[in-house]
């Protein structure tokens, strides 16, 4: 557990901020480039600081490739064309390709 006054607590990224930044960056700059029929269902891992990304069928492969280029990356991941990366006890919902 991290103590609230520790350096790690003050420098660790806020998960809600990461989610907002990731969704915003994906929707604003990346979505129109990657939401093509051949990419639907694949995982995209995005470096929130550089905007660089990797796409793969495998979640860990996409992240590992991105980390090999940007070791300190703050990474946001999505399943292209769906509302979640994984579904637990439910089902993934496909989004419109409008």
């Amino acid at each position: 557990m991290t103590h609230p006054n520790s350096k790690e607590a003050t420098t660790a990224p806020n998960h809600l901020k990461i989610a907002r930044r990731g969704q915003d960056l994906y929707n604003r700059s990346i979505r129109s480039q990657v939401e093509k029929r051949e990419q639907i269902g694949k995982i995209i891992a995005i470096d929130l600081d550089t905007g660089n990304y990797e796409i793969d069928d495998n979640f860990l492969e996409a992240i590992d490739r991105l980390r090999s280029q940007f070791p300190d990356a703050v990474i946001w991941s999505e399943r292209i064309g769906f509302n979640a990366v994984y579904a637990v006890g439910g089902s993934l919902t496909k989004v419109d390709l409008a």
Side-chain angles (χ1 to χ4, degrees), residues 54 61-73 75:
E54 288 289 336
E61 292 292 326
I63 289 176
D64 286 347
R65 274 202 316 276
L66 193 59
R67 280 235 187 267
S68 72
Q69 300 169 60
F70 307 97
D72 297 325
I75 297 175

Side-chain angles (χ1 to χ4, degrees), residues 2-65:
T2 303
H3 187 276
N5 294 327
S6 73
K7 182 177 180 182
E8 183 179 334
T10 58
T11 60
N14 176 304
H15 296 289
L16 294 176
K17 264 189 194 173
I18 290 172
R20 277 193 300 272
R21 282 179 59 202
Q23 290 168 344
D24 181 55
L25 179 60
Y26 181 77
N27 288 327
R28 183 176 30 86
S29 304
I30 299 172
R31 183 178 186 176
S32 63
Q33 299 172 46
V34 301
E35 282 198 4
K36 311 293 184 211
R37 294 213 182 277
E38 64 274 7
Q39 303 281 48
I40 299 299
K42 293 186 178 186
I43 300 294
I44 182 168
I46 306 165
D47 178 344
L48 296 184
D49 294 324
T50 66
N52 289 293
Y53 58 87
E54 288 289 336
I55 296 173
D56 201 282
D57 290 321
N58 182 289
F59 180 79
L60 293 177
E61 292 292 326
I63 289 176
D64 286 347
R65 274 202 316 276

